[in-house]
């Protein structure tokens, strides 16, 4: 508890520093720059984006790739919205720290530009350190945002096969390359939205909502809950986003689980009751912890998951009442997604 308290105090200090809007040139923290990114779509300034990336690089924001996803998604969205200036923006972004230049290649791959492989080849020549990365993207061995897909909940038999690793023993039909939901992808989509205000990224996040009802899989439940909470909290302070969600609900024939979760998101935003979404997410995890899937029974793992996976990121900020300072609700852009890292490394 002492460590958690110290962390929350640190968040208060960081978010307070970002409370007053300022020119990008004057910003000195990653939280302040994230706040600037949050307002970017209201007044796009693509020529300033490389400076934002350089500042973030000096602040160490790209040291851990999964925490940098919101910034990479933002850069991808900026060049997608400015195809004629994409090469110029990326060339100036190359002034980031040497070890951070991978963000240029990943942003190109996630941009969705029609000629992104050509653009990637040009920059790959200047980044031989990341030749494997660029080759895999160009060769179709790494998925891009255009290949994002939410798989349906697996059956009980499929879960058992996975827990016993029978899928690796017996193999199966080759799987189509897709980009699966994850905290990193969720942040990537938010970054793309902050850059463009576009509908596509939000639809992808909406597609994650059914995962918030998967009470048999901690990872899927957590990701779905994160999607639900970030949508509700950001829509609370973004009238355009809320209108977009309402239009989606009315205009699209949504699956039942998606429609139900989206109704709850819209209601939470309209009634200023996002705390309810947070409580429900934590309660769902507590229920799953008590239920204990056979392949995830480690007591210490569950205890840490309940405290960290959902309480991390924007949830901690919201609990402190700091979201009003203009910092968007994302999973790892401003803080950490330690809970999801724990999931990836937990015993099978």
């Amino acid at each position: 508890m002492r460590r958690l308290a110290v962390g929350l105090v640190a968040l208060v200090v960081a978010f307070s520093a970002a409370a007053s809007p300022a020119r990008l040139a004057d910003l000195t923290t990653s939280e302040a720059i994230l706040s600037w990114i949050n307002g970017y779509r209201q007044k796009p300034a693509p020529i300033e984006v490389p400076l934002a990336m350089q500042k973030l690089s000096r602040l160490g924001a790209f040291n851990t790739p999964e925490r940098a996803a919101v910034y990479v998604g933002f850069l991808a969205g900026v060049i997608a919205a400015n195809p004629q200036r994409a090469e110029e923006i990326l060339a100036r972004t190359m002034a980031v720290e040497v070890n951070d230049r991978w963000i240029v290649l990943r942003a190109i791959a996630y941009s969705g530009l029609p000629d992104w492989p050509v653009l990637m080849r040009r920059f790959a020549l200047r980044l031989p350190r990341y030749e494997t990365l660029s080759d895999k993207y160009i060769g179709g061995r790494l998925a891009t945002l255009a290949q994002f897909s939410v798989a349906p909940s697996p059956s009980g038999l499929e879960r058992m096969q996975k827990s016993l690793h029978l899928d690796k023993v017996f193999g199966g039909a080759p799987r189509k390359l897709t980009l699966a939901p994850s905290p990193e992808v969720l942040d990537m989509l938010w970054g793309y939205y902050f850059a463009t205000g576009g509908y596509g990224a939000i639809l992808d996040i909406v597609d994650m909502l059914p995962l918030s009802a998967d009470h048999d899989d901690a990872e899927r439940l957590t990701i779905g809950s994160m999607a639900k909470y970030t949508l509700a909290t950001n829509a609370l302070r973004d009238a355009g986003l809320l209108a977009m969600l309402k239009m989606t609900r009315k205009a699209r024939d949504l699956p039942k689980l998606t429609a139900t979760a989206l109704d709850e998101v819209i209601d939470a935003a309209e009634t200023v009751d996002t705390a309810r979404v947070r409580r429900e997410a934590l309660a769902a995890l507590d229920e799953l912890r008590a239920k204990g899937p056979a392949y995830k029974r480690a007591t210490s793992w569950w205890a840490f998951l309940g405290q960290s996976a959902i309480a991390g990121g924007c949830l901690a900020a919201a609990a402190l009442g700091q979201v009003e300072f203009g910092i968007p609700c994302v999973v790892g852009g401003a803080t950490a997604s330690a809970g999801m890292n724990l999931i990836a490394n937990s015993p099978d």
Side-chain angles (χ1 to χ4, degrees), residues 81-130:
N82 300 274
Q84 302 303 319
R85 304 182 71 175
E87 193 159 353
E88 174 193 0
I89 293 168
L90 293 170
R92 295 183 61 204
T93 301
M94 289 279 285
V96 298
E97 301 293 326
V98 173
N99 289 336
D100 295 339
R101 291 174 183 170
W102 59 269
I103 66 171
V104 170
L105 297 179
R106 187 153 288 173
I108 293 171
Y110 290 157
S111 68
L113 288 170
D115 62 344
W116 73 262
V118 176
L119 192 59
M120 180 168 287
R121 285 190 180 94
R122 289 179 191 159
F123 280 90
L125 291 174
R126 301 167 61 180
L127 295 169
R129 158 71 176 79
Y130 300 107

Side-chain angles (χ1 to χ4, degrees), residues 123 142 242 284:
F123 280 90
L142 281 178
L242 181 57

